[in-house]
Amino acid sequence: MNDIIELEQTYVVHAYNRPPIVWVDGQGVWLQDVEGRRYLDLVAGIAVNALGYGDPEIAETICQAGKKPLHYSNLYHNEPMARLAKTLVELTPFADRVHFQNSGTESTEAAIKFARKYARTHFGEGKTDIIAFTGAFHGRTMGALAMTPREKYQAPYRPLMPGVRFARFNDIESVRETIDDHVCAVIVEPIQGEGGIHPAQVDFMLALRELTHKHHALLIFDEVQCGVGRSGTFWAHEQLGVLPDILCAAKPLANGLPMGAVLVTERVAQVIHPGDHGTTFAGGPFVSSVANVVVHRISQPAFLQHVREVGAYFKERLEALKHRAIQEVRGKGLMLGVQLDIPAVNVVEAGYRHGLLLLNAGADVLRLVPPLIITRNEIDLAVERLAAALQDVG
Ligand SMILES: Cc1ncc(COP(=O)(O)O)c(C=O)c1O
């Protein structure tokens, strides 16, 4: 194990803080390290591995798709991508078309480009500003980073993309004070992930939709983390009864292979012409074949019902823990946040000792985003191990 860690430390840019664990395998909701230790995974590669590890249908799909060309380029048509686009649109009442990406960040970048093109086409010059929110995370490239108000992430890279304004999340008055006719889009996560698992309130989202209509601004939902079944419905915004003009998705779409997607209305799609935006890899046949399986499986009513049921059970069990460090348990489906009054990283570290993978979201929130296939028994075990980890840190 140490030789692998040493290799990484010698040859890889030190952009990540990693625990001294080296993975070799995984099955279901379990990961195994080189020393044969098994860990119950409540991280799922940061809300990615929705169908867990070693899924036979995913493995078979990969074998079959791997025997065919992996890449044709967006110069040409390919069947798996066309089928995936149809399925995604049919699952998304507001959307008429899809543009594929390789990651969440690329999806938010595409969304803001589409919004600017839309505004320029319909309203001319000067309508280019974007409103994002406190606590938001939309990615790390220069445009996405400009909409991610974390000093630590932004400071080393200024100047960022200009024209981004910030309003307070779940505070419609602050949006009212910030918006005007120079705003082309408002981007919001229906459940903030990196910001600490904060669901958007229904009233806030309804009023946001009204305000964006009033100012002819597009509403963009960033469902990169909360979308594709994670919240217990296929899209998290289904539980809000508010429809956007553009939706960004990524993380679980291909169960660990890189894929992002931007879903748009026909009106938005109409302003995008060949050459306006593109990428070499996105929507390739290999990754799209896998995404077809993932999207089909996760969108089944029984699968989503399972997420709602085990999610509610998990929340109940966490609330019943009554540990003095736990201030609140929040979230939807299997996107849960445990608000602590102690540093969350201490609990994450203690989790390793108990064979439990945990993740923080900010300084004092534990983020629990396990594979969506997790069972009640596995949740019981996870809660037992979490209690032990909390006990360790006092
Ligand atoms: C809401 C949201 N948007 C965008 C991103 C960026 O996605 P990626 O890391 O795939 O580029 C993330 C990643 O955590 C996210 O949670």
Side-chain angles (χ1 to χ4, degrees), residues 46 48 102-108 136-140 144 148 189 191-194 222-226 248 250-251 259 335 367:
I46 320 189
V48 168
N102 302 292
S103 68
T105 303
E106 281 185 42
S107 301
T108 59
F137 186 92
H138 299 297
R140 307 280 204 136
T148 298
E189 294 157 82
I191 305 173
Q192 283 194 338
E194 302 294 314
D222 181 347
E223 293 224 17
V224 166
Q225 191 157 157
C226 61
C248 303
K251 288 183 180 283
M259 168 166 267
M335 184 169 180
R367 169 175 26 172

Side-chain angles (χ1 to χ4, degrees), residues 331-352:
K332 292 180 181 175
L334 285 169
M335 184 169 180
L336 298 175
V338 181
Q339 178 70 55
L340 303 172
D341 65 1
I342 55 173
V345 285
N346 296 354
V347 186
V348 173
E349 261 168 39
Y352 298 133

Side-chain angles (χ1 to χ4, degrees), residues 40 313 317 375-385:
L40 180 45
Y313 179 67
R317 292 289 326 263
T375 63
R376 277 175 181 246
N377 285 345
E378 288 159 344
I379 286 171
D380 287 340
L381 192 57
V383 172
E384 210 176 275
R385 292 183 179 192

Side-chain angles (χ1 to χ4, degrees), residues 43 46 150 193-194 196-197 225 340 343-346 348 358-368:
V43 179
I46 320 189
R150 281 274 289 277
E194 302 294 314
I197 314 294
Q225 191 157 157
L340 303 172
V345 285
N346 296 354
V348 173
L358 299 164
L359 180 64
N360 64 309
D364 51 10
V365 177
L366 275 183
R367 169 175 26 172
L368 309 178

